[in-house]
């Protein structure tokens, strides 16, 4: 076991804005709009990106005891999954805009 850094959300001050979910490159934050969020610490490599994004300043970085090797594969997988999801979403949005434009131009 060794010490590593992870994010931790003070749930009582979380307003459920989802900004942290959108900013996390590792898909390590769980929550729904208007409900308090939490960090899945087994999947958080402690990159700190979410900390400065939170409008209520309720995310802090803490130390936990965990072997880094245990989380490496999961973190790599989540990072790739998020990249693919973002790419697909952008493609879908582009196609959707093109379809909408075509409909308007044809009408
Ligand atoms: S510290 Fe990085 S990986 Fe962890 S929850 Fe925040 S943005 Fe995600
Ligand atoms: S950015 Fe902060 S307030 Fe917004 S959902 Fe995340 S932890 Fe909660």
């Amino acid at each position: 076991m060794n010490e590593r850094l992870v994010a931790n959300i003070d749930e009582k001050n979380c307003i459920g804005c989802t900004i942290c979910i959108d900013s996390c490159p590792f898909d390590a934050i769980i929550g729904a709009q208007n409900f308090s969020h939490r960090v899945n610490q087994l999947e958080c490599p402690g990159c700190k990106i979410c900390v400065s994004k939170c409008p209520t300043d309720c995310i802090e970085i803490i130390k936990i005891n965990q072997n880094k090797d245990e989380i490496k594969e999961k973190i790599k997988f989540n990072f790739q999954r998020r990249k693919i999801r973002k790419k697909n979403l952008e493609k879908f949005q582009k196609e959707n805009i093109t379809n909408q434009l075509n409909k308007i131009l044809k009408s």
Side-chain angles (χ1 to χ4, degrees):
M1 286 289 178
N2 43 20
E3 269 191 347
R4 66 180 197 87
L5 300 175
V6 295
N8 187 56
I9 293 175
D10 175 4
E11 291 182 24
K12 67 182 181 311
N13 289 321
C14 170
I15 56 172
C17 66
T18 75
I19 288 173
C20 54
I21 291 185
D22 293 338
S23 72
C24 177
F26 299 95
D27 268 351
I29 301 178
I30 303 155
Q33 185 106 43
N34 301 327
F35 290 92
S36 55
H37 289 35
R38 73 178 179 83
V39 177
N40 182 351
Q41 293 175 339
L42 294 174
E43 297 179 7
C44 166
C47 72
K48 304 180 188 162
I49 288 173
C50 58
V51 176
S52 62
K53 306 277 183 186
C54 176
T56 64
D57 207 15
C58 69
I59 310 176
E60 62 172 350
I61 298 293
I62 59 168
K63 283 181 184 165
I64 60 169
N65 277 317
Q66 188 188 42
N67 188 336
K68 280 186 187 149
D69 292 337
E70 284 175 17
I71 63 161
K72 272 185 190 160
E73 287 310 311
K74 183 67 183 152
I75 283 173
K76 259 194 253 167
F77 173 82
N78 282 8
F79 185 67
Q80 290 306 329
R81 185 183 60 185
R82 182 182 155 100
K83 261 184 22 188
I84 292 166
R85 199 173 62 236
K86 277 189 89 173
K87 211 169 142 192
N88 286 342
L89 184 65
E90 278 162 20
K91 191 173 162 237
F92 171 77
Q93 283 168 339
K94 249 190 220 162
E95 283 171 3
N96 218 11
I97 291 167
T98 312
N99 287 343
Q100 293 292 343
L101 257 178
N102 284 340
K103 263 190 202 166
I104 292 166
L105 292 175
K106 277 181 193 163
S107 62

